[in-house]
Amino acid sequence: MTITTVRGVRDILPEESPTWQLLEESARQIFAAYGYREIRTPLFEKTELFARAVGATSDIVEKEMYTFNDRGGDSLSLRPEGTASVVRSFIENNLQRALPWAVYYMGPMFRYERPQKGRFRQFHQMGCELFGAEGPLADAEMMAMIVRLLRRLQIDDALTLEINSLGCASCRGPYRERLFAFLQERQAQLCGNCIQRLQRNPLRILDCKGEGCRGVARQAPAMQESLCPPCADHFCGLQELLNGMELPYMVNPLLVRGLDYYTRTAFEVTTTALGAQNAVAAGGRYDGLVAEMGGQAVPAIGFAMGMERLALLLEGKGLRNGSRSGCYLLAVGAEAGRQALFLAEQWRSAGVAVQMDWLGGSLKAQLRRADRALAAQVLILGEQELAEQSVLFKDLRDGGQRLIHWGQVVESLRALS
């Protein structure tokens, strides 16, 4: 019996890696251009961190976390999202003195969810967190950065930026009471999960995907009607900035996000190209989270992007396999294979990349493998070339070929790079 992967996880095969490398490299360039630096946090943390940050009553903490006791009896959890760990690091390393503090991260997250297209139990996110900026300028710039990245990847044509305001502690309390009274009268139309949410956190009902609950939510009082003057000004200022940058968006009053720590701005970037799993980026403000986690009161905003879903969008654009690149060295015959090893090492020492064919065999078979490897050029070393100290250079992109002396290979390959 063979051993297979755990349900909900998958391998990223070498044929897919160019897509992921494109995502990562593009994101690093864009994030750096906006002043963000990389942070790398542990894959697991104390369970208490996520319970306090994400919310003890959230679906993530109650149903989806991978939690275990280590040999010392401590409760640990694989990270289900990135913000909590970044906030913990910000507080633990006393970075309140280094404001503004802007970081980005990339890596795997873990949630016990029902696997489906674009959703896995081990999934990958990249995201940014900005500490210290309070006004809507930071919100607008972060959204512009996301759109810039998506445009760089050429996957922005089927995307929509949705925004909402969740208010602050002073205006969310009265709104919660209005919403509770409205929903209590309509309990019969709610699903079982939302009936339980009604007592604990009625705002989560607005995010339910059930058709009956969605119908009730569309009739519910909107948060914008209950915003206090500072929150209303913040949301109005954000829209003015987005309009000024000519950044298309829509206001979605049902956008509440699935985490307890969000305040004021919440946003998502959705697509029509992936079916039900339509969010490719999401985030918002969490101005009170640092203080709740034991640090000083510091305003903050962040977002995360699902890398599997971005990869699917790139695949839909025909970019999955990447483009041809690199050089493939073929040798026909035992002596040619021996000499090819020596030559490849010399050329690599001179700074050019050369991949050898490890399996040997006929020239036709080796050419097939070079084609599968998406090589841009091949160098063929046979008996005649061995005698003449040359290689047959063949360009797999345009079919051109010529003989090149061993001493001219490095210069020829550099000229193509």
Side-chain angles (χ1 to χ4, degrees):
M1 179 183 295
T2 59
I3 300 175
T4 61
T5 56
V6 176
R7 184 170 186 256
V9 304
R10 63 184 290 270
D11 302 310
I12 299 172
L13 299 174
E15 292 77 14
E16 301 173 89
S17 291
T19 297
W20 287 74
Q21 292 163 1
L22 173 64
L23 286 174
E24 293 163 354
E25 182 59 28
S26 299
R28 291 181 193 280
Q29 292 176 4
I30 294 295
F31 297 160
Y34 282 76
Y36 289 78
R37 298 178 297 166
E38 186 176 16
I39 184 172
R40 304 189 184 195
T41 60
L43 290 182
F44 56 90
E45 303 264 10
K46 295 178 180 177
T47 302
E48 180 187 7
L49 172 69
F50 302 115
R52 291 176 59 185
V54 178
T57 63
S58 66
D59 286 347
I60 292 175
V61 174
E62 286 191 334
K63 304 175 182 178
E64 298 172 0
M65 287 206 307
Y66 282 90
T67 299
F68 58 95
N69 291 330
D70 67 7
R71 293 186 178 182
D74 293 324
S75 179
L76 306 177
S77 295
L78 300 179
R79 61 186 186 192
E81 56 96 49
T83 300
S85 294
V86 175
V87 171
R88 189 265 310 146
S89 181
F90 177 80
I91 297 170
E92 186 175 354
N93 292 286
N94 297 314
L95 293 166
Q96 293 91 338
R97 297 172 295 182
L99 297 176
W101 194 62
V103 295
Y104 73 86
Y105 60 85
M106 299 180 185
M109 310 292 168
F110 306 85
R111 296 185 194 177
Y112 190 86
E113 296 185 294
R114 184 170 62 86
Q116 51 188 292
K117 183 178 181 180
R119 172 181 284 180
F120 300 92
R121 291 177 177 175
Q122 175 181 304
F123 58 99
H124 297 76
Q125 285 185 341
M126 55 188 182
C128 293
E129 314 290 348
L130 172 60
F131 296 79
E134 186 173 11
L137 280 171
D139 308 26
E141 185 193 56
M142 183 167 281
M143 295 176 198
M145 179 172 65
I146 295 170
V147 172
R148 186 173 299 277
L149 173 57
L150 297 172
R151 287 174 178 167
R152 165 77 71 87
L153 296 169
Q154 300 178 37
I155 53 174
D156 59 309
D157 53 345
L159 300 173
T160 302
L161 171 62
E162 302 180 11
I163 65 172
N164 193 22
S165 178
L166 303 181
C168 62
S170 63
C171 53
R172 194 181 298 182
Y175 173 68
R176 177 184 172 127
E177 293 179 5
R178 287 183 61 203
L179 183 62
F180 177 82
F182 173 85
L183 294 173
Q184 193 174 36
E185 296 176 357
R186 294 159 177 82
Q187 285 192 61
Q189 302 175 51
L190 302 178
C191 67
N193 284 337
C194 285
I195 291 175
Q196 297 178 8
R197 289 169 177 160
L198 182 59
Q199 299 295 329
R200 296 177 299 176
N201 192 344
L203 268 73
R204 295 201 179 281
I205 297 175
L206 301 180
D207 196 39
C208 181
K209 301 300 186 287
E211 190 55 40
C213 298
R214 296 293 288 176
V216 172
R218 283 191 286 267
Q219 303 173 38
M223 180 73 220
Q224 293 173 48
E225 300 168 358
S226 298
L227 293 179
C228 64
C231 288
D233 289 344
H234 187 280
F235 193 52
C236 182
L238 170 61
Q239 294 177 75
E240 290 177 353
L241 291 168
L242 295 176
N243 291 332
M245 291 188 291
E246 298 183 349
L247 203 62
Y249 68 92
M250 63 172 289
V251 176
N252 179 1
L254 300 183
L255 176 59
V256 297
R257 305 293 300 120
L259 306 173
D260 283 350
Y261 52 63
Y262 284 114
T263 57
R264 289 191 171 173
T265 303
F267 63 89
E268 283 188 353
V269 178
T270 60
T271 178
T272 58
L274 294 178
Q277 299 306 311
N278 63 344
V280 295
R285 282 203 158 268
Y286 47 95
D287 292 341
L289 182 58
V290 176
E292 290 176 13
M293 299 299 293
Q296 300 174 12
V298 173
I301 184 172
F303 74 90
M305 309 180 80
M307 296 180 70
E308 278 82 1
R309 297 180 189 180
L310 292 174
L312 284 172
L313 290 174
L314 284 174
E315 180 182 343
K317 290 284 188 177
L319 300 177
R320 174 175 179 173
N321 291 327
S323 57
R324 291 191 176 276
S325 63
C327 180
Y328 205 94
L329 178 57
L330 315 181
V332 182
E335 182 57 31
R338 181 174 177 274
Q339 186 62 45
L341 174 63
F342 301 150
L343 289 170
E345 282 300 291
Q346 291 177 23
W347 297 333
R348 290 164 183 156
S349 296
V352 297
V354 179
Q355 178 182 346
M356 283 192 61
D357 185 279
W358 300 302
L359 301 185
S362 69
L363 177 59
K364 186 176 181 180
Q366 293 187 59
L367 284 170
R368 282 199 302 267
R369 290 194 287 270
D371 185 61
R372 286 201 302 268
L374 293 176
Q377 303 90 26
V378 294
L379 302 175
I380 302 172
L381 184 63
E383 291 183 4
Q384 182 178 344
E385 290 82 14
L386 191 61
E388 298 174 354
Q389 295 191 357
S390 64
V391 291
L392 178 61
F393 172 91
K394 186 171 184 178
D395 195 319
L396 296 183
R397 293 171 297 189
D398 60 20
Q401 62 183 49
R402 66 185 187 275
L403 282 174
I404 302 178
H405 189 272
W406 293 347
Q408 298 175 331
V409 166
V410 171
E411 180 181 352
S412 298
L413 291 178
R414 284 178 175 168
L416 295 170
S417 62

